[in-house]
Amino acid sequence: MANKYVPEYLEEKGYTDEKIEKSHYVEPKYLINKDFYHGHYMVIFKDEPNTTYYYGITKNGKQVQQFCEKDVLSADGVTDLFEGETKYSEKECKNSFDNRDL
């Protein structure tokens, strides 16, 4: 489902193949927000290669939504979870760790 909806969403936002370094479906190894289907779609943009963005699909309405959490690779090779604003952050994001069973 993510492979269908997220690429269409990114294209509508103007994010063409020329702007995207890598993008594909990923399966999180932890429980996520119950309002979303479990799989994520990860995107790395060419002009921000150290930041990985994640998108999900809502169960209600199958809407694409960017998750607030991003993986940022530091200069020393460590990947940290980051929720602050970055170049491709969307105004409306959802926290993938909210509303989940532990």
Side-chain angles (χ1 to χ4, degrees), residues 1 5 8 10 27 35 55-56 58 66 79 83 96 99 101:
M1 190 176 321
Y5 289 105
E8 290 174 2
L10 294 170
E27 191 74 26
D35 294 333
Y55 296 82
T58 61
Q66 187 183 73
T79 300
E83 291 188 42
S96 68
N99 189 30
D101 295 325

Side-chain angles (χ1 to χ4, degrees), residues 3-95:
N3 284 329
K4 176 184 179 194
Y5 289 105
V6 179
E8 290 174 2
Y9 174 83
L10 294 170
E11 190 174 316
E12 287 172 10
K13 304 239 355 129
Y15 303 148
T16 60
D17 288 343
E18 290 79 39
K19 292 184 178 184
I20 296 173
E21 178 74 31
K22 186 190 305 187
S23 64
H24 58 81
Y25 176 83
V26 292
E27 191 74 26
K29 293 181 169 68
Y30 48 85
L31 295 175
I32 69 161
N33 188 319
K34 293 186 291 186
D35 294 333
F36 289 82
Y37 290 103
H38 187 70
H40 288 7
Y41 196 86
M42 58 85 63
V43 178
I44 299 173
F45 293 95
K46 289 181 180 176
D47 59 349
E48 200 178 18
N50 294 332
T51 304
T52 303
Y53 293 84
Y54 295 97
Y55 296 82
I57 309 291
T58 61
K59 290 179 180 177
N60 185 10
K62 294 185 178 58
Q63 298 297 308
V64 175
Q65 181 78 56
Q66 187 183 73
F67 289 118
C68 300
E69 305 86 9
K70 301 165 226 20
D71 288 333
V72 177
L73 181 64
S74 65
D76 61 0
V78 176
T79 300
D80 288 315
L81 194 64
F82 182 73
E83 291 188 42
E85 192 168 327
T86 55
K87 184 170 185 174
Y88 294 96
S89 292
E90 296 182 8
K91 289 180 185 177
E92 299 286 326
C93 66
K94 294 290 183 188
N95 191 308

